[in-house]
Amino acid sequence: MDATIAGRMWITDVQICHSDDKYLFATRLSVSSLKTCTEDVPFSCPQFVGIITENIGLTDEYKIQKTAHVLNTETEAGRFLQYLESPDRKTAVVLVSPSYFPKEEQYDGFTVNADYMAKELMGVAHVFMISPDIAQFLREKMGKWSVYDGAIRTFYTGLVFEEEEYWRHPLLRREQILMRNTEDRQDGAMLEVIEYVRRFSLGRRLPWTESNIHFYLAVHQDFLRQQRAASVQSTQELIKLYEEDLAQSKQECKEMAEIAESYSKDCETEQENNKQLRQRISRLMNQVSNLEKRLENALKAGETLVTVDGSYEEIPTWIEKNYPGCLFLSARAGRSLKKAAYEDVRLVYQCLQLLATSYYAYRKGEKTYEDFTTDMHSVDSALKEAGAVTETAAGMYGDDYQIEYKGKKRLFERHIGKGTQKDPCKTMRIYYFWDEEDQIIVIGDLPMHLDNSLS
């Protein structure tokens, strides 16, 4: 029974089993409350788990500890990247990056207290800190998954770097962290990360039996069923066993109903939070747009524009550095760049810049389409921008004109390019679509001309 809240009961199941050259330690904590009990159920971990962790030691590839792990060398970073994609990883990972302006941060060059997070998330998630010495190395290795300039990213289990769904693994940039830290909640961003990592842990269903973990209550029920099947008990004993089994089943049903009710409330809360966050993102995107416009004017005044020279291999980094809020380069587009043959690389850069500035301003209602076409022809009079393909025509070409985006198929709605020859060295196309929800241009494929009925 709960010592502080009447009508609440906690049940702790513990199992240790031997597997190959290691011991598996599993703990399951469940809670049930009377309907009259209205207090929220806090996140809880049995005290003995902490005692075992400190005195004996538990690991999930890395040692579970109350302090953050620090990545100091390239070798350590390589091992860390392999661990992130490991299918055997059981816990979430929180990665904290050093700030570009360490003297402005209150935690020795970091935006959050990583050791405090590690203590609060012990047994739930590993917390890692990137040493400034390998920050650039790790950023290059992780690409679009990278974490830098004081940002924090949470990597949930089941991660595959080649997939495009990196948005499922929450990222808080330095600016977002500063906005969440208020006078009333000075560590608001850090507490938010701790909260949603715990929520992820509570929402997971672990395949206990696959690891040969069998908790006492389930084993006891199996024993009761076996006893009944053997018919070795007297009628009175059978009745008693049935009653015990029934009572246990009722208790489990009650627990499941309460958990379902709790999940339903959490879902309603998260839907409302999501709605508010979307509204906030919209406001922030408008702020970003205004800041980018001011920055563009300032750069023009200082005659230091964004460079449009480089190789195809440098385009992903160039976009991330200069236009992260305007352009999103899909994984397919990144792969296409590796086999690009179009001879005028500079024009590809210029077209991407046109999309990130003039076309983006048109989609935001700050320019007309005629303004955009004027800007486009000032770069190259032979450039054309038009619809890429209709839904009916796209069906003839399988997945050529679409990608998986946010769990759904999205068509390449538009394209910008030059030339009509079949020679990939002479003809260029950039295929893209506008994501209204996130207010961003998604680059689907470039710079090759895709097949169509006219080619």
Side-chain angles (χ1 to χ4, degrees), residues 10 14 45 61 103 116 148-149 197 217 245 278 284 309 321 326 334 339 346 403 410 414 427 443 453:
W10 298 82
V14 182
C45 178
E61 181 67 27
K103 293 183 180 180
Y116 177 82
Y148 54 90
D149 190 21
V197 171
L217 291 178
D245 198 5
R278 288 295 178 189
L284 292 175
D309 289 316
K321 177 182 177 182
C326 302
K339 52 186 179 182
R346 178 180 173 83
I403 59 172
R410 283 294 302 266
R414 314 287 299 177
T427 301
I443 308 297
S453 58

Side-chain angles (χ1 to χ4, degrees), residues 358-376:
S358 184
Y359 186 79
Y360 185 82
Y362 156 63
R363 294 310 301 244
K364 297 283 289 183
E366 298 166 3
K367 282 188 174 186
T368 65
Y369 187 77
E370 288 71 22
D371 293 333
F372 163 68
T373 55
T374 299
D375 294 340
M376 177 175 64

